[in-house]
Amino acid sequence: MIITFGHALELDLYCAEGEPPRLAALRAGGSPLAAESTDPATLDILPLSHIELAGHSREHINGKRHIGGAVSSRLQYVRHDITRAGQALLLEITSRDPITDLTVVARIEQHPDIAAIRSSTRVTAGSHEVVLLHVASLVIPGVLAIADTALGAAGRWEDRLTAWTAANPWCGEGRWTSATLSQRGLTATEKPDARNRFALASTGSWSSSEHLPMGALTDEHTGRALAWQIEHNGSWAWEIGDTHDAVYVSLSGPSDAESQWSKVLAPGESFTTVPATLAASAHGLEGAIGELTKHRRVTRRPHADLERLPIIFNDYMNCLGGDPSTDRLLPLIDAAARAGAEYFVVDAGWYDDTDGWWDSVGEWQPSTVRFPGGLDKVMELVRERGMTPGLWLEPEVVGVRSPMAGSLPDGAFFQRAGRRLTERGRHQLDFRHPASRAHLDATVDRLVSEYGIGYFKLDYNIEVGPGTDHAADSAGDGLLGHNRAYRAWIDGVLDRHPGLVIESCSSGGMRTDYAMLAATQLHSVTDQTDFHRLPAIAAAAPMAVTPEQSAMWAYPVPAMTDRETAFNLAGALLGRIHLSGRLDLLRPEQEALVHQALAAYRELRPHLPAALPHWPVGLPAWRDGWVALALETDGPDRDSPVAGYVLAWRRDADDLAWHQEVRSLTVRLPEWSAVLVRLTRV
């Protein structure tokens, strides 16, 4: 039996009695993206679900690859159900393992007119206890496997298919690179299959400190493309491999092999994987990212901020740097108000009386030394100047010198073998514990009530490794439980305070994922302090974050020339302006440039919530001299041609620009009524 599901992205699923469910075909806009078969029963297609249990081996020699599990191949189709949840179409396919009595439900979600699916897997123990070691969120076999015989040798998948990954180092986020699968180490072989894979994984509490939890696979000859994201704020893994001369993609959250995760299920207990989303297009990588961008918008929490896009001033970057006080803030408040900022955020250090705010965090009482007249007087001035006050919090940590380190029970903190974990003078709170949640709930409610706080920047500056084994089956199990509890805590805060705006930050972009960004309104993309280096980060950001959630620094300081000031300000216009810098000390000419930039932003920001990104000169390399980002927007009416904005940077710093001799750049945007823009360095 073939089940056809979806519209913009169409799936054919082969479901037969006594056999595991399998994906037989995948199409976007009628274009095939996976090998199709009129008789799937004759094909050795990977099962839709992959599960590894302790005591149950894999059937083939698969090396480190997460395929070929004995449990997966034993699954027997039971039923399927198609329902709706709001606008979303849901498919649930239930199967059962007759040996372990395990029930598996593969859940696939699709929204109208978006060529993307979000998938997760729920496993429920039957009459026997089982120990989970790996459960895939989504397995897609035979992807982009249609060879073009006219291409000859180039038609081989290992030379034709290109894998995309994004290194995401601190202050150098979003460094996308590509290589063919052959260059990644994969080569077609005769049966039995090769034992190789190309894989990425992240272990720990920073989901994106090494790589973004994303990837893509493109066919440069046909234009077919897949892009994916794992929607989790902790450990994750994905892999590309070959099986029977075709390519598969497997996406998952934490696992035993990659992230010290295992889970014991007693009879009747269930576990659900983290969600993963796959987007597809017949129009290359940009097309797939466009579909992923649409998916992000319809699956995140609705909020008025995502339409208004207010201008935020934050006193940290190239400004006070975590050393706020009443005397330092008063002139900044006046300058930010004159510039047109709508939120004013006091960043780190506001609670510290000792000049050692790093390891004293956790109690969240305002300093009387920094604010001798009281923090309320400062926040009152912010409101008088027509802005909404905001504060920085780092809710998941407690400094070793904080009173909360002694007053909260040990069970409220991450532990290993009964010992509380300490990282850089801080303990990690475990949000599974009610005392942790109660403390932070009381903190947020008090700050909103007493000081009229309308904005919280939620930061996270430590990496605690695989997790906590306290009250958990494994360290990874403890971390996953905390990750989910923290996300639920944010939802609870916004349920109680629906007008509150929450920014997700993790030393800049160390937690760039759509577990966090589906709940929070905007995201701090980077902590980069050098404005010369920001363009490569800003231009790549829409690969991972919708423009209306992508907070980019604009931090003019008196030492900048007028041209440098304009360069820095312009770089934030196609996202969320995070204004900072010493606005109170700027020259009149610089202040005028700030006002001009913010006036331009107020004109274009209504178009950002529906804009789709393009890269007219390609994704930026870290030291490119020319960098460009374009956002496609709708015209003023239905019959208008596609319109948009183009932002191009020319960087002249000697250590950045590799192509100093290139003085001009031609940007072609054929979809925008054949627009040709020629940019010349002056």
Side-chain angles (χ1 to χ4, degrees):
M1 174 176 58
I2 294 290
I3 302 168
T4 298
F5 174 78
H7 299 287
L9 184 60
E10 194 173 57
L11 293 76
D12 286 347
L13 296 131
Y14 175 69
C15 298
E17 184 178 352
E19 296 185 35
R22 291 174 281 177
L23 178 67
L26 183 70
R27 294 177 294 276
S31 178
L33 296 161
E36 295 184 302
S37 171
T38 56
D39 186 9
T42 65
L43 294 181
D44 193 357
I45 302 173
L46 291 176
L48 182 64
S49 302
H50 179 81
I51 297 150
E52 295 174 23
L53 303 180
H56 296 261
S57 69
R58 287 179 287 178
E59 290 191 329
H60 307 290
I61 302 175
N62 286 304
K64 296 179 180 180
R65 303 190 303 177
H66 291 296
I67 60 172
V71 176
S72 305
S73 63
R74 292 197 307 251
L75 291 177
Q76 297 179 356
Y77 167 77
V78 175
R79 70 176 187 276
H80 70 276
D81 302 283
I82 298 178
T83 58
R84 286 193 176 274
Q87 293 294 314
L89 191 65
L90 303 179
L91 169 66
E92 290 192 342
I93 302 178
T94 303
S95 54
R96 177 181 171 274
D97 175 21
I99 303 300
T100 63
D101 198 28
L102 191 74
T103 298
V104 178
V105 178
R107 185 182 190 272
I108 300 173
E109 169 189 338
Q110 188 176 147
H111 291 260
D113 303 319
I114 300 175
I117 56 170
R118 180 160 61 173
S119 177
S120 61
T121 304
R122 183 176 73 250
V123 294
T124 303
S127 55
H128 308 291
E129 178 182 274
V130 296
V131 180
L132 301 175
L133 302 178
H134 179 273
V135 184
S137 300
L138 179 63
V139 177
I140 302 291
V143 295
L144 307 178
I146 301 89
D148 188 341
T149 56
L151 296 174
R156 296 193 303 256
W157 59 257
E158 69 266 32
D159 298 315
R160 202 179 74 250
L161 301 183
T162 297
W164 295 78
T165 63
N168 203 61
W170 183 63
C171 291
E173 291 84 354
R175 297 195 199 180
W176 285 87
T177 57
S178 64
T180 66
L181 292 188
S182 178
Q183 292 167 332
R184 300 287 192 187
L186 298 179
T187 303
T189 63
E190 300 295 329
K191 294 184 181 182
D193 297 334
R195 304 174 192 178
N196 299 328
R197 65 173 182 169
F198 171 57
L200 283 183
S202 177
T203 296
S205 53
W206 274 351
S207 62
S208 60
S209 61
E210 295 176 311
H211 289 86
L212 292 174
M214 293 181 62
L217 195 61
T218 60
D219 185 333
E220 304 303 321
H221 295 289
T222 66
R224 300 182 182 103
L226 302 175
W228 56 84
Q229 64 182 24
I230 300 171
E231 298 169 6
H232 184 46
N233 51 337
S235 302
W236 54 267
W238 62 256
E239 69 183 43
I240 301 171
D242 67 289
T243 175
H244 308 309
D245 203 24
V247 177
Y248 72 89
V249 175
S250 178
L251 314 176
S252 73
S255 65
D256 177 57
E258 282 80 15
S259 42
Q260 300 184 33
W261 175 88
S262 60
K263 179 69 176 175
V264 178
L265 294 184
E269 289 184 335
S270 296
F271 169 78
T272 301
T273 66
V274 305
T277 293
L278 179 82
S281 176
H283 304 290
L285 179 63
E286 286 190 0
I289 294 299
E291 298 302 316
L292 200 53
T293 300
K294 297 174 190 176
H295 165 85
R296 291 164 178 163
R297 286 174 171 145
V298 300
T299 56
R300 68 192 177 194
R301 183 185 181 106
H303 197 286
D305 175 83
L306 295 166
E307 298 296 327
R308 294 175 49 239
L309 311 191
I311 296 166
I312 299 142
F313 181 89
N314 179 294
D315 72 10
Y316 188 87
M317 190 62 67
N318 290 353
C319 191
L320 300 185
D323 194 19
S325 67
T326 299
D327 290 343
R328 296 186 182 100
L329 287 169
L330 295 185
L332 281 171
I333 292 170
D334 286 337
R338 288 196 305 271
E342 292 150 296
Y343 283 75
F344 189 97
V345 180
V346 178
D347 208 282
W350 59 269
Y351 50 84
D352 179 63
D353 286 336
T354 65
D355 293 326
W357 61 265
W358 178 264
D359 60 359
S360 66
V361 292
E363 192 175 25
W364 307 116
Q365 295 290 341
S367 168
T368 57
V369 174
R370 294 179 181 275
F371 310 110
L375 180 62
D376 56 327
K377 300 300 183 184
V378 175
M379 296 308 178
E380 182 179 340
L381 180 61
V382 170
R383 288 190 294 274
E384 288 177 358
R385 296 296 185 266
M387 298 179 291
T388 300
L391 281 178
W392 176 94
L393 286 179
E394 196 168 353
E396 293 168 85
V397 302
V398 168
V400 296
R401 294 193 299 114
S402 170
M404 303 309 299
S407 61
L408 288 171
D410 281 339
F413 296 93
F414 272 38
Q415 301 176 42
R416 295 296 289 273
R419 294 168 177 82
R420 190 184 296 186
L421 293 180
T422 305
E423 173 72 12
R424 296 180 64 202
R426 290 152 164 225
H427 302 305
Q428 167 79 45
L429 281 174
D430 188 339
F431 271 59
R432 297 176 301 163
H433 197 284
S436 295
R437 298 192 303 274
H439 165 55
L440 269 303
D441 278 337
T443 294
V444 168
D445 294 349
R446 170 174 52 83
L447 294 173
V448 170
S449 173
E450 292 186 14
Y451 303 105
I453 300 302
Y455 185 108
F456 282 110
K457 175 177 180 174
L458 300 186
D459 207 344
Y460 181 60
N461 290 296
I462 64 172
E463 162 60 75
V464 295
T468 173
D469 59 11
H470 176 69
D473 295 327
S474 61
D477 178 43
L479 177 61
L480 175 59
H482 163 76
N483 294 144
R484 288 173 159 168
Y486 180 59
R487 162 62 200 269
W489 175 76
I490 292 174
D491 284 332
V493 168
L494 290 170
D495 288 343
R496 296 196 309 278
H497 306 286
L500 194 65
V501 176
I502 294 181
E503 170 194 342
S504 172
C505 179
S506 185
S507 282
M510 299 297 94
R511 203 154 57 179
T512 301
D513 60 71
Y514 263 84
M516 295 300 298
L517 288 174
T520 58
Q521 286 65 66
L522 68 163
H523 174 60
S524 180
V525 174
T526 185
D527 272 358
Q528 177 58 252
T529 60
D530 185 345
F531 73 94
H532 296 98
R533 288 169 166 78
L534 279 180
I537 301 171
M543 288 285 291
V545 184
T546 63
E548 65 272 21
Q549 290 180 282
S550 180
M552 189 58 56
W553 291 107
Y555 37 49
V557 295
M560 289 180 179
T561 66
D562 289 352
R563 290 183 63 181
E564 289 172 335
T565 301
F567 182 99
N568 176 229
L569 290 166
L573 292 180
L574 295 189
R576 293 295 297 272
I577 286 188
H578 250 38
L579 191 63
S580 193
R582 293 309 304 260
L583 300 187
D584 55 322
L585 302 179
L586 297 182
R587 302 185 308 277
E589 297 83 359
Q590 287 180 292
E591 187 172 9
L593 287 170
V594 172
H595 295 186
Q596 182 181 350
L598 297 188
Y601 183 73
R602 283 188 286 270
E603 289 186 15
L604 69 86
R605 66 181 172 184
H607 304 288
L608 296 183
L612 297 178
H614 297 276
W615 293 270
V617 296
L619 288 170
W622 182 240
R623 291 183 174 86
D624 278 354
W626 283 106
V627 176
L629 170 65
L631 293 184
E632 173 189 331
T633 65
D634 293 331
D637 55 62
R638 182 175 298 179
D639 297 326
S640 299
V642 173
Y645 298 93
V646 181
L647 177 58
W649 297 262
R650 170 63 189 176
R651 301 190 291 175
D652 290 331
D654 290 339
D655 64 331
L656 288 173
W658 282 349
H659 308 294
Q660 293 288 333
E661 72 283 359
V662 180
R663 300 185 62 86
S664 65
L665 175 74
T666 299
V667 177
R668 291 178 174 84
L669 297 165
E671 300 298 323
W672 298 3
S673 303
V675 171
L676 261 177
V677 182
R678 186 169 179 80
L679 306 170
T680 303
R681 174 187 169 199
V682 296

